[in-house]
PDB file of all heavy atoms in Angstrom:
ATOM      1  N   GLN A 181      -3.764  -8.185   1.578  1.00 97.00           N
ATOM      2  CA  GLN A 181      -4.613  -7.177   0.942  1.00 97.00           C
ATOM      3  C   GLN A 181      -4.814  -7.490  -0.537  1.00 97.00           C
ATOM      4  O   GLN A 181      -5.913  -7.383  -1.061  1.00 97.00           O
ATOM      5  CB  GLN A 181      -3.965  -5.791   1.086  1.00 97.00           C
ATOM      6  CG  GLN A 181      -3.900  -5.316   2.512  1.00 97.00           C
ATOM      7  CD  GLN A 181      -5.268  -4.990   3.047  1.00 97.00           C
ATOM      8  OE1 GLN A 181      -6.007  -4.234   2.443  1.00 97.00           O
ATOM      9  NE2 GLN A 181      -5.626  -5.591   4.162  1.00 97.00           N
ATOM     10  N   GLU A 183      -4.474 -10.450  -1.895  1.00 97.00           N
ATOM     11  CA  GLU A 183      -5.258 -11.694  -1.995  1.00 97.00           C
ATOM     12  C   GLU A 183      -6.737 -11.417  -1.823  1.00 97.00           C
ATOM     13  O   GLU A 183      -7.570 -11.955  -2.559  1.00 97.00           O
ATOM     14  CB  GLU A 183      -4.786 -12.693  -0.929  1.00 97.00           C
ATOM     15  CG  GLU A 183      -3.419 -13.242  -1.235  1.00 97.00           C
ATOM     16  CD  GLU A 183      -3.077 -14.431  -0.361  1.00 97.00           C
ATOM     17  OE1 GLU A 183      -3.772 -14.662   0.642  1.00 97.00           O
ATOM     18  OE2 GLU A 183      -2.104 -15.122  -0.699  1.00 97.00           O
ATOM     19  N   TYR A 194      -6.681  -2.310 -10.886  1.00 96.00           N
ATOM     20  CA  TYR A 194      -7.662  -1.776  -9.935  1.00 96.00           C
ATOM     21  C   TYR A 194      -7.173  -1.958  -8.505  1.00 96.00           C
ATOM     22  O   TYR A 194      -7.273  -1.060  -7.673  1.00 96.00           O
ATOM     23  CB  TYR A 194      -9.002  -2.495 -10.137  1.00 96.00           C
ATOM     24  CG  TYR A 194     -10.131  -1.888  -9.347  1.00 96.00           C
ATOM     25  CD1 TYR A 194     -10.901  -0.865  -9.884  1.00 96.00           C
ATOM     26  CD2 TYR A 194     -10.421  -2.334  -8.064  1.00 96.00           C
ATOM     27  CE1 TYR A 194     -11.935  -0.304  -9.161  1.00 96.00           C
ATOM     28  CE2 TYR A 194     -11.453  -1.774  -7.336  1.00 96.00           C
ATOM     29  CZ  TYR A 194     -12.207  -0.761  -7.889  1.00 96.00           C
ATOM     30  OH  TYR A 194     -13.215  -0.199  -7.163  1.00 96.00           O
ATOM     31  N   ARG A 198      -6.714   1.185  -6.048  1.00 96.00           N
ATOM     32  CA  ARG A 198      -7.689   1.410  -4.975  1.00 96.00           C
ATOM     33  C   ARG A 198      -7.285   0.791  -3.637  1.00 96.00           C
ATOM     34  O   ARG A 198      -7.743   1.248  -2.593  1.00 96.00           O
ATOM     35  CB  ARG A 198      -9.057   0.829  -5.389  1.00 96.00           C
ATOM     36  CG  ARG A 198      -9.669   1.519  -6.572  1.00 96.00           C
ATOM     37  CD  ARG A 198     -10.274   2.847  -6.178  1.00 96.00           C
ATOM     38  NE  ARG A 198     -11.265   2.701  -5.126  1.00 96.00           N
ATOM     39  CZ  ARG A 198     -11.871   3.730  -4.545  1.00 96.00           C
ATOM     40  NH1 ARG A 198     -11.591   4.947  -4.915  1.00 96.00           N
ATOM     41  NH2 ARG A 198     -12.761   3.519  -3.591  1.00 96.00           N
ATOM     42  N   GLY A 280      -7.960   5.401   9.546  1.00 82.00           N
ATOM     43  CA  GLY A 280      -8.163   3.967   9.721  1.00 82.00           C
ATOM     44  C   GLY A 280      -6.970   3.270  10.342  1.00 82.00           C
ATOM     45  O   GLY A 280      -7.053   2.119  10.710  1.00 82.00           O
TER      46      GLY A 280
ATOM     47  N   ARG B  49      -7.165 -22.570  -1.542  1.00 96.00           N
ATOM     48  CA  ARG B  49      -6.673 -21.447  -2.345  1.00 96.00           C
ATOM     49  C   ARG B  49      -6.538 -21.815  -3.817  1.00 96.00           C
ATOM     50  O   ARG B  49      -6.515 -20.930  -4.673  1.00 96.00           O
ATOM     51  CB  ARG B  49      -5.342 -20.951  -1.775  1.00 96.00           C
ATOM     52  CG  ARG B  49      -5.506 -20.314  -0.385  1.00 96.00           C
ATOM     53  CD  ARG B  49      -4.193 -20.291   0.384  1.00 96.00           C
ATOM     54  NE  ARG B  49      -3.162 -19.607  -0.369  1.00 96.00           N
ATOM     55  CZ  ARG B  49      -3.040 -18.290  -0.382  1.00 96.00           C
ATOM     56  NH1 ARG B  49      -3.838 -17.551   0.324  1.00 96.00           N
ATOM     57  NH2 ARG B  49      -2.095 -17.724  -1.098  1.00 96.00           N
ATOM     58  N   LEU B 102      -9.317  -7.214   5.855  1.00 97.00           N
ATOM     59  CA  LEU B 102     -10.149  -6.060   5.495  1.00 97.00           C
ATOM     60  C   LEU B 102      -9.238  -4.941   5.006  1.00 97.00           C
ATOM     61  O   LEU B 102      -8.069  -4.877   5.378  1.00 97.00           O
ATOM     62  CB  LEU B 102     -10.940  -5.576   6.717  1.00 97.00           C
ATOM     63  CG  LEU B 102     -12.113  -6.452   7.142  1.00 97.00           C
ATOM     64  CD1 LEU B 102     -12.805  -5.820   8.344  1.00 97.00           C
ATOM     65  CD2 LEU B 102     -13.107  -6.626   6.003  1.00 97.00           C
ATOM     66  N   GLU B 114     -16.941  -1.715  -2.114  1.00 97.00           N
ATOM     67  CA  GLU B 114     -15.856  -1.415  -3.059  1.00 97.00           C
ATOM     68  C   GLU B 114     -15.924  -2.297  -4.315  1.00 97.00           C
ATOM     69  O   GLU B 114     -15.884  -1.797  -5.443  1.00 97.00           O
ATOM     70  CB  GLU B 114     -14.502  -1.583  -2.361  1.00 97.00           C
ATOM     71  CG  GLU B 114     -13.290  -1.310  -3.248  1.00 97.00           C
ATOM     72  CD  GLU B 114     -13.203   0.136  -3.709  1.00 97.00           C
ATOM     73  OE1 GLU B 114     -13.685   1.022  -2.979  1.00 97.00           O
ATOM     74  OE2 GLU B 114     -12.670   0.377  -4.808  1.00 97.00           O
ATOM     75  N   SER B 149      -9.780  -0.928  12.222  1.00 94.00           N
ATOM     76  CA  SER B 149      -8.987  -0.848  13.451  1.00 94.00           C
ATOM     77  C   SER B 149      -9.853  -0.525  14.666  1.00 94.00           C
ATOM     78  O   SER B 149      -9.403  -0.663  15.792  1.00 94.00           O
ATOM     79  CB  SER B 149      -7.891   0.212  13.299  1.00 94.00           C
ATOM     80  OG  SER B 149      -8.473   1.473  13.027  1.00 94.00           O
TER      81      SER B 149
END
Side-chain angles (χ1 to χ4, degrees):
Chain A
Q181 294 290 307
E183 289 192 346
Y194 188 89
R198 295 283 303 175
Chain B
R49 293 159 56 82
L102 286 181
E114 179 65 29
S149 59

